[in-house]
Amino acid sequence: MPDITKKVRVRFAPSPTGGLHLGGVRTVLFNYLFARKHGGDFILRIEDTDQSRYVEGAEQYILDCLAWCGLNPDEGPKNGGPYAPYRQSERKENYRKYAEQLVNDGYAYYAFDTPAELDEQRQKFPNFRYGHENRDVLRNSLNLSQQKTQALLDQEVPHVIRIKVPANDTVHFYDMIRGDVSFDTNLVDDKVLLKADGMPTYHLAVVVDDYLMKISHAFRGEEWLPSAPVHILLWEYLGWKEDMPQWVHLPLILKPDGNGKLSKRDGDRLGFPVYAMNWKDPQSGEITKGFREMGFLPEAFVNMLALLGWNDGTEQEIFSMNELIDKFSIERVSKAGAKFDFEKAKWFNHEYIKISQVSGIKNQVLEILSAKDILVQDNEYFDKILETVKDRMTFLQDFWDQASFFFEQPATYDLNAVKPKWTDDKTQYFKKLIDTWEGLALVNEWEAVHLETTFKALADEKGLKPGELMLPFRVMLVGGKFGPGVFDIAVILGKKETIERVQKAIIAFTE
């Protein structure tokens, strides 16, 4: 069970380097659900200490993605908070003093090795790892005299600070998903804590900031498990072990057709997005498509992500946000990776579109029409159309494919579906149907049930089977063998437009 004797504070700490992978959004979601369930705080912290990988616009993109998903942080770079600033690049001065403290206490050291010298070591030793096996023969403060070390520091010779990982030891910690975890320190290298430019690496920054921001639970992907022993040691060496957060290493989201973590390349290869929203590379201008732009509803996207690696122990699949908050528990998060299933993702979206109120998706669909230069002038007419076709939509973009015939008459007809069985009797039937419907009152009689009744009654009168007339009638109105209930279509189109389309189609069918 989670320890919630102290206030729950969780964080999502992305690097602003590009698009936000759905695995990252799931980490946000699990943080958010845990915080909300336990009355805690969800913090967004931007880890931008690696300036060589910083991408302009990526931070705002992350904020936009979280806003679209409805996972807004309580504290962060945009809305501030009691532990500001929330960008690590603005907290640079915090880190050096802790790195120096580690050196002074004997838990870290200055390393003056140049990139060329390290490359030489890698060429000599293909599996080169800076650590207990070789640190005593490399250029660092452990084997340089104190005077020589100080001289190099005074001369501002470029250097890094590395943690001194002990040899022949074991690091133990408890993970809320995986239970007891241990690492042999002989397999852990002396990671760089402070780079030559004075910026911290992830290893130092995440520990310092989690401590200063009073983070109670650290959710992150299982790919960070190999870094855990370094972080555990830092919490101990800095004297903060009693304040260390509880660890939660989440299972990976796996590619659907094999093993390994789902990547952008897999999405490109298999034809689905892996980013929450469109990401435009500022250098190349290349756009990587996102779930939002494909036509996913944020509620469906979030629901789908929640069930990638978690379930509530029942067969329920559709959850509101309040239900997710109420039912979420770490105990129900799987240790095993979860294969991404795009067909299942589409199913979630289809279900959410079906249960959505027209008012909830109307503006997004109107944007899609606007992009096609179609201006909707009659809102009541549009609302009826959307209500009629939304059950048939998998994506919001499907609206046009399902409803274009409401806005323009068919330019062509699926004649192969009609002409082989077309007869003069059917021609006479539809001409008589026009005469019958011409006399219907718009207010009380132009309704689906009444139209169907008169349609079938006339068929009986003419000795024709209604089933043989339904398909031609549908093709007359929409151009093909698709669309919602044909009498529902006629009601929305209205009496004048329906009759005009039938008249026009009779000519095409008899030519």
Side-chain angles (χ1 to χ4, degrees):
M1 291 293 292
D3 176 11
I4 52 171
T5 55
K6 59 181 180 179
K7 183 174 177 62
V8 168
R9 287 178 57 79
V10 297
R11 72 343 187 230
F12 177 56
S15 298
T17 57
L20 185 56
H21 188 277
L22 59 90
V25 183
R26 190 193 61 175
T27 299
V28 175
L29 176 61
F30 285 6
N31 270 293
Y32 183 89
L33 296 177
F34 188 79
R36 292 293 175 264
K37 178 162 188 173
H38 297 293
D41 298 323
F42 167 52
I43 294 96
L44 175 66
R45 187 174 69 220
I46 301 297
E47 301 201 339
D48 58 349
T49 57
D50 189 346
Q51 294 295 294
S52 65
R53 298 179 63 228
Y54 177 82
V55 175
E56 189 69 34
E59 179 184 317
Q60 185 59 50
Y61 168 86
I62 292 168
L63 292 169
D64 292 342
C65 287
L66 299 194
W68 176 65
C69 293
L71 303 173
N72 294 301
D74 301 299
E75 302 169 24
K78 184 176 181 180
N79 51 331
Y83 299 95
Y86 291 89
R87 295 184 188 90
Q88 287 186 334
S89 60
E90 297 172 5
R91 302 169 64 87
K92 181 177 178 180
E93 297 309 313
N94 283 342
Y95 306 114
R96 175 168 284 279
K97 68 177 180 180
Y98 293 111
E100 297 283 1
Q101 176 186 322
L102 290 166
V103 174
N104 294 335
D105 292 343
Y107 296 123
Y109 56 91
Y110 302 109
F112 299 94
D113 316 271
T114 66
E117 289 169 341
L118 292 176
D119 284 342
E120 185 179 343
Q121 290 294 317
R122 294 185 186 99
Q123 290 175 7
K124 286 182 181 178
F125 309 101
N127 296 317
F128 171 73
R129 188 172 58 220
Y130 207 123
H132 73 279
E133 295 177 329
N134 53 25
R135 64 168 78 108
D136 290 340
V137 298
L138 297 170
R139 201 154 69 100
N140 57 61
S141 59
L142 296 177
N143 55 58
L144 296 173
S145 68
Q146 186 174 350
Q147 293 79 5
K148 177 63 174 175
T149 298
Q150 190 59 51
L152 292 172
L153 293 174
D154 291 342
Q155 295 166 24
E156 298 184 352
V157 172
H159 63 277
V160 300
I161 293 179
R162 291 180 179 271
I163 186 173
K164 185 181 178 183
V165 177
N168 306 315
D169 200 354
T170 304
V171 174
H172 299 274
F173 70 95
Y174 180 79
D175 184 275
M176 293 175 66
I177 293 176
R178 299 159 199 287
D180 292 314
V181 181
S182 61
F183 284 90
D184 180 352
T185 58
N186 288 332
L187 302 177
V188 181
D189 55 329
D190 290 356
K191 297 292 187 186
V192 173
L193 303 179
L194 199 73
K195 295 177 286 188
D197 63 0
M199 280 290 195
T201 61
Y202 171 77
H203 307 292
L204 178 64
V206 71
V207 171
V208 170
D209 286 340
D210 280 355
Y211 171 72
L212 295 177
M213 293 183 178
K214 301 186 185 303
I215 300 302
S216 64
H217 298 78
F219 289 72
R220 60 187 183 183
E222 71 173 39
E223 64 267 34
W224 288 107
L225 263 174
S227 298
V230 173
H231 302 165
I232 304 296
L233 289 172
L234 287 174
W235 279 97
E236 180 181 339
Y237 291 165
L238 289 165
W240 301 334
K241 195 167 185 179
E242 294 302 314
D243 297 301
M244 185 170 67
Q246 295 188 70
W247 299 97
V248 187
H249 285 89
L250 301 172
L252 296 176
I253 297 178
L254 305 174
K255 59 183 69 181
D257 59 348
N259 298 317
K261 181 180 177 181
L262 178 69
S263 69
K264 175 181 174 296
R265 188 178 298 108
D266 296 315
D268 293 341
R269 176 172 58 87
L270 297 172
F272 56 76
V274 298
Y275 288 169
M277 289 166 40
N278 274 11
W279 166 251
K280 182 176 182 179
D281 188 298
Q283 299 296 325
S284 66
E286 177 188 2
I287 295 178
T288 302
K289 197 163 190 176
F291 281 87
R292 184 184 71 170
E293 287 75 14
M294 179 168 271
F296 273 80
L297 296 179
E299 299 88 351
F301 180 60
V302 166
N303 194 153
M304 176 269 295
L305 285 181
L307 270 65
L308 281 175
W310 172 85
N311 69 80
D312 74 336
T314 72
E315 298 298 314
Q316 182 175 347
E317 293 186 285
I318 302 298
F319 294 86
S320 68
M321 180 61 79
N322 286 336
E323 287 177 314
L324 287 174
I325 291 169
D326 180 59
K327 297 188 176 188
F328 182 77
S329 68
I330 300 298
E331 291 76 18
R332 298 296 310 177
V333 176
S334 172
K335 295 179 184 178
K339 282 188 179 291
F340 178 69
D341 182 347
F342 187 56
E343 291 305 310
K344 188 67 175 182
K346 288 161 59 178
W347 176 85
F348 275 108
N349 207 52
H350 176 58
E351 292 300 308
Y352 267 89
I353 290 176
K354 284 200 303 184
I355 64 177
S356 292
Q357 297 292 322
V358 165
S359 58
I361 59 176
K362 178 176 180 177
N363 288 339
Q364 297 165 77
V365 176
L366 286 173
E367 287 179 11
I368 294 168
L369 292 183
S370 178
K372 295 179 177 293
D373 295 325
I374 295 172
L375 180 63
V376 173
Q377 296 179 324
D378 186 337
N379 275 300
E380 185 178 349
Y381 180 67
F382 173 79
D383 289 353
K384 289 179 182 177
I385 295 169
L386 184 52
E387 183 63 53
T388 301
V389 304
K390 67 185 180 70
D391 285 7
R392 310 175 67 83
M393 295 161 56
T394 297
F395 305 116
L396 293 178
Q397 276 79 354
D398 292 341
F399 176 80
W400 183 249
D401 291 336
Q402 296 295 336
S404 60
F405 53 85
F406 284 113
F407 299 92
E408 52 189 29
Q409 291 188 1
T412 59
Y413 300 99
D414 183 357
L415 296 177
N416 291 331
V418 176
K419 292 198 76 168
K421 294 184 178 181
W422 189 257
T423 64
D424 185 59
D425 287 343
K426 291 179 180 178
T427 299
Q428 298 308 314
Y429 168 84
F430 279 103
K431 287 183 177 179
K432 179 63 176 177
L433 182 67
I434 291 172
D435 292 339
T436 302
W437 282 355
E438 285 277 17
L440 295 180
L442 287 177
V443 177
N444 299 318
E445 297 180 309
W446 195 262
E447 297 175 348
V449 173
H450 193 76
L451 294 181
E452 185 173 3
T453 299
T454 57
F455 187 95
K456 290 180 177 179
L458 182 60
D460 289 341
E461 181 185 317
K462 296 291 186 182
L464 297 170
K465 294 180 179 179
E468 293 181 359
L469 300 167
M470 293 287 280
L471 178 58
F473 183 43
R474 177 176 295 281
V475 175
M476 287 173 171
L477 298 188
V478 308
K481 299 183 289 184
F482 59 90
V486 69
F487 297 107
D488 294 325
I489 294 173
V491 169
I492 294 173
L493 288 174
K495 176 179 171 180
K496 180 176 181 296
E497 179 68 19
T498 298
I499 290 174
E500 185 178 319
R501 291 191 184 193
V502 173
Q503 289 172 328
K504 180 179 176 184
I506 288 173
I507 296 172
F509 291 177
T510 54
E511 286 180 344

